[in-house]
């Protein structure tokens, strides 16, 4: 074989290898996720349309380490269920998963508020919180036959390193014990919030599968260009992570569908950057017939 032919062969092999690596590292991009159950408006799993050509995650909102009394207080990692259990029960989890082979169900920890006040991450120590959290969450996850957890603490009475150690050890232990198969985080663009989640990401990115970044926490009226810049910024912050695009159906901020959300998602998907789409929340979407859930899944189901 002549030198020029050998060079061409080697170049071709390098190009094929580079393409294969790109395909392996690019997000799969057919993941749809939706929070459900926080607003007690009677929404059921079966109300939400499920496209068979996507990976679909319901995320129960929320499990919180607070007491269930009329004046809730922190319990140092002893989690209780705070979602609508009348309509989102263990039997209903089993039912929806048996009806749709592409459906998994997770629970989210924390949230913005509890009992009319802010929900704080408030451990007494790393060891005690992790021990209590592993025990209490394992019980809930097994009772409900859940597949994963999402971290959505938004207020903190602990420094970033303590948060990182607590959450990182919790996720690691649950995975090592075979209790969960995936974990996600749900940060947004706030200095205090980001300092905690970036500390977690720095040390435990390897156990976090998805970043449910709350892009709807940006200002209402966000443009496509701004959104693309925000997405790039957060992709750099959570480098190597599967970053999901997001909208809220409660009328809050961010890039709305009317202003081009799905146009932006199509661009990200064509660039191999879209890790999926998630929506807050099924509770809010119920009244309008889940229009954006259908549109999101249709977009994700199209091969890139």
């Amino acid at each position: 074989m002549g030198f020029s032919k050998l060079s061409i062969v080697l170049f071709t092999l390098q190009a094929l290898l580079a393409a294969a690596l790109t395909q392996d590292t690019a997000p799969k991009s057919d993941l749809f996720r939706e929070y459900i159950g926080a607003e007690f408006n009677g929404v059921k799993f079966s109300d939400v349309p499920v496209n068979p050509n996507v990976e679909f995650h319901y995320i129960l909102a929320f499990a919180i380490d607070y007491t269930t009394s009329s004046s809730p207080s922190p319990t140092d990692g002893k989690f209780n269920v705070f979602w609508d259990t009348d309509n989102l029960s263990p039997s209903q989890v089993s039912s929806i998963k048996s009806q749709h082979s592409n459906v998994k169900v997770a629970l989210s920890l924390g949230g913005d508020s509890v009992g009319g006040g802010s929900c704080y991450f408030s451990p007494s120590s790393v060891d005690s919180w992790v021990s209590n959290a592993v025990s209490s969450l394992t019980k809930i996850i097994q009772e409900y036959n859940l597949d994963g957890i999402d971290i959505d603490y938004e207020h903190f009475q602990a420094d970033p390193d303590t948060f990182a150690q607590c959450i990182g050890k919790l996720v690691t232990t649950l995975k090592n014990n075979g209790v969960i198969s995936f974990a996600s985080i749900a940060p947004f663009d706030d200095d205090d919030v980001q300092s905690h989640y970036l500390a977690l990401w720095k040390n435990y990115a390897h156990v976090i599968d998805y970043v449910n970044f709350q892009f709807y926490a940006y200002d209402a009226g966000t443009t496509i260009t701004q959104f693309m810049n925000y997405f790039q910024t957060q992709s750099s912050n959570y480098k190597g992570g599967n970053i999901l695009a997001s909208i809220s159906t409660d009328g809050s901020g961010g890039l709305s569908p009317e202003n081009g959300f799905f146009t932006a998602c199509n661009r990200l998907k064509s660039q191999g950057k879209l890790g999926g789409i998630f929506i807050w929340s099924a509770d809010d979407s119920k009244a309008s017939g889940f229009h954006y859930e259908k549109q999101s899944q249709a977009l994700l189901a199209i091969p890139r």
Side-chain angles (χ1 to χ4, degrees):
M1 183 181 290
F3 178 76
S4 60
K5 287 184 178 179
L6 180 61
S7 298
I8 292 170
V9 170
L10 288 174
F11 180 80
T12 303
L13 288 172
Q14 286 178 331
L16 289 170
L17 179 61
L21 288 172
T22 300
Q23 287 175 354
D24 287 343
T25 56
K28 192 177 175 187
S29 193
D30 66 349
L31 175 62
F32 177 77
R33 317 185 87 204
E34 177 137 53
Y35 291 88
I36 187 169
E39 296 174 18
F40 290 79
N41 68 346
V43 68
K44 298 178 172 67
F45 295 121
S46 56
D47 292 335
V48 187
V50 175
N51 187 314
N53 298 313
V54 301
E55 182 177 352
F56 192 113
H57 293 179
Y58 292 97
I59 306 175
L60 291 161
F62 291 95
I64 311 175
D65 53 333
Y66 270 65
T67 61
T68 56
S69 61
S70 57
S71 297
S73 58
T75 58
D76 194 29
K78 295 177 182 177
F79 282 85
N80 289 300
V81 171
F82 280 81
W83 64 76
D84 182 1
T85 54
D86 286 344
N87 292 291
L88 304 165
S89 65
S91 64
Q92 285 156 326
V93 171
S94 296
S95 177
I96 197 68
K97 290 172 72 173
S98 67
Q99 291 172 41
H100 301 281
S101 61
N102 59 321
V103 162
K104 295 179 180 176
V105 185
L107 59 76
S108 186
L109 309 185
D112 175 55
S113 62
V114 58
S118 293
C119 172
Y120 285 94
F121 178 75
S122 185
S124 62
S125 73
V126 171
D127 289 344
S128 66
W129 190 91
V130 172
S131 176
N132 289 335
V134 168
S135 176
S136 59
L137 286 171
T138 297
K139 182 178 178 181
I140 295 169
I141 290 165
Q142 292 178 341
E143 178 188 358
Y144 278 80
N145 186 27
L146 304 179
D147 303 286
I149 64 171
D150 174 66
I151 313 301
D152 188 24
Y153 283 102
E154 303 185 4
H155 309 282
F156 306 91
Q157 291 177 334
D159 62 84
D161 183 63
T162 299
F163 177 72
Q165 292 298 315
C166 285
I167 300 300
K169 289 180 177 181
L170 168 64
V171 173
T172 301
T173 303
L174 291 177
K175 282 193 167 186
N176 287 344
N177 291 349
V179 177
I180 60 171
S181 58
F182 59 82
S184 58
I185 56 174
F188 57 94
D189 192 27
D190 170 89
D191 288 347
D192 190 41
V193 169
Q194 290 279 61
S195 68
H196 285 78
Y197 283 93
L198 289 172
L200 172 62
W201 188 258
K202 180 181 178 182
N203 293 303
Y204 290 96
H206 60 285
V207 297
I208 298 165
D209 302 280
Y210 314 110
V211 180
N212 278 18
F213 199 86
Q214 298 183 48
F215 289 102
Y216 46 81
Y218 287 106
D219 290 342
T222 295
T223 65
I224 292 174
T225 300
Q226 289 172 324
F227 177 87
M228 298 295 285
N229 289 336
Y230 296 152
F231 195 95
Q232 182 58 47
T233 296
Q234 302 311 330
S235 295
S236 298
N237 284 336
Y238 299 94
K239 191 171 180 61
N242 285 323
I243 314 296
L244 279 74
S246 58
I247 52 172
S248 171
T249 52
D250 66 2
S252 55
L255 175 61
S256 67
E258 294 78 11
N259 286 344
F261 174 75
F262 292 108
T263 299
C265 287
N266 271 314
R267 288 185 190 173
L268 291 169
K269 185 172 183 175
S270 69
Q271 295 167 6
K273 297 177 181 178
L274 184 65
I277 295 172
F278 79 89
I279 291 179
W280 175 275
S281 66
D283 308 53
D284 296 304
S285 299
K286 184 182 178 184
S288 58
F290 303 99
H291 175 73
Y292 296 128
E293 284 79 357
K294 296 173 187 174
Q295 194 169 350
S296 297
Q297 292 176 75
L299 182 154
L300 294 170
I302 300 168
R304 182 164 63 85

